[in-house]
Amino acid sequence: MGLVGAITVLPRSQRQSVKADVDVMLTMQQWWWEAEGALVNPFGNDGHFGWFTINGRTGEASGGPIDIAAGDLVRLRLYNAGQGVHAMHLHGHDQFRVAKNGHAVPVVRQTTQSISPGDFFLVEFVARPGNWLFHCHFPHHTANRMLSGWRGSPVGMSRIFHTAGAPPVPPEYFSDNYYLPPPGVPPR
Ligand SMILES: [Cu+2]
């Protein structure tokens, strides 16, 4: 299906850019399943996308939480490589929008950054202790194929930021085995 990604171009001097403790690129995409087990078509033909990813991954393929530390300045580089609008929300924090499409903008304090196709935003936050969900606010964008993850945990366009020392996030949280609970866990 090819390769797509983002190239981050940084200024030669960091004088105009505060160095972040954590700097992550998050590319949103959406896909259309043509059939179970078949290749996915990123364009679809009826506009109904059923599979949502950040950096091409979701569920257990996402690799678990993004590790940060309390007090870190975390910079999120949000790019929408899909064809729908997403409303990227961070739990437990305000996020600060500092740039759009490569240009600095007046800082806006907000909880959610809506992002249209092709848009690129820099948002930053100072991490508080805990486990914090970062996800799209469109409910079905965190329920791939209209199914959530283990015990309702979000899949699709979601990640969790985990600060050092916070309780570990159960690996089952990232399970995209929607139909069978993990061993020893009763079906819900
Ligand atoms: Cu979305």
Side-chain angles (χ1 to χ4, degrees):
M1 297 297 290
L3 178 68
V4 65
I7 297 173
T8 301
V9 180
L10 296 171
R12 189 179 300 275
S13 160
Q14 288 288 324
R15 274 177 299 179
Q16 297 178 352
S17 174
V18 177
K19 187 160 173 46
D21 299 301
V22 178
D23 195 322
V24 286
M25 182 78 217
L26 300 171
T27 300
M28 274 65 75
Q29 285 180 283
Q30 55 203 43
W31 311 81
W32 171 249
W33 285 81
E34 300 195 300
E36 187 66 40
L39 290 175
V40 291
N41 177 356
F43 300 105
N45 54 15
D46 62 359
H48 295 291
F49 299 97
W51 193 260
F52 297 82
T53 59
I54 295 176
N55 294 344
R57 294 169 183 266
T58 181
E60 58 192 31
S62 69
I66 299 172
D67 291 319
I68 59 176
D72 275 354
L73 174 64
V74 182
R75 179 171 297 143
L76 309 181
R77 299 174 184 272
L78 308 178
Y79 176 58
N80 185 352
Q83 297 169 68
V85 174
H86 302 291
M88 305 311 298
H89 173 70
L90 176 66
H91 281 219
H93 297 75
D94 286 337
Q95 52 178 247
F96 295 86
R97 181 174 70 201
V98 299
K100 177 183 181 182
N101 296 334
H103 300 283
V105 294
V107 174
V108 174
R109 183 174 186 162
Q110 59 187 16
T111 61
T112 305
Q113 177 63 60
S114 294
I115 181 166
S116 295
D119 268 349
F120 170 69
F121 285 97
L122 254 60
V123 302
E124 298 175 346
F125 67 95
V126 178
R128 300 174 56 215
N131 295 308
W132 305 108
L133 181 63
F134 175 78
H135 68 106
C136 180
H137 253 167
F138 287 72
H140 93 274
H141 297 183
T142 54
N144 280 346
R145 290 185 290 174
M146 298 309 290
L147 292 162
S148 59
W150 180 70
R151 291 191 170 176
S153 60
V155 290
M157 278 181 186
S158 68
R159 289 291 189 275
I160 293 178
F161 287 93
H162 166 80
T163 60
V169 182
E172 293 86 358
Y173 195 88
F174 299 95
S175 171
D176 43 21
N177 185 347
Y178 309 101
Y179 307 107
L180 296 172
V185 176
R188 55 184 165 117

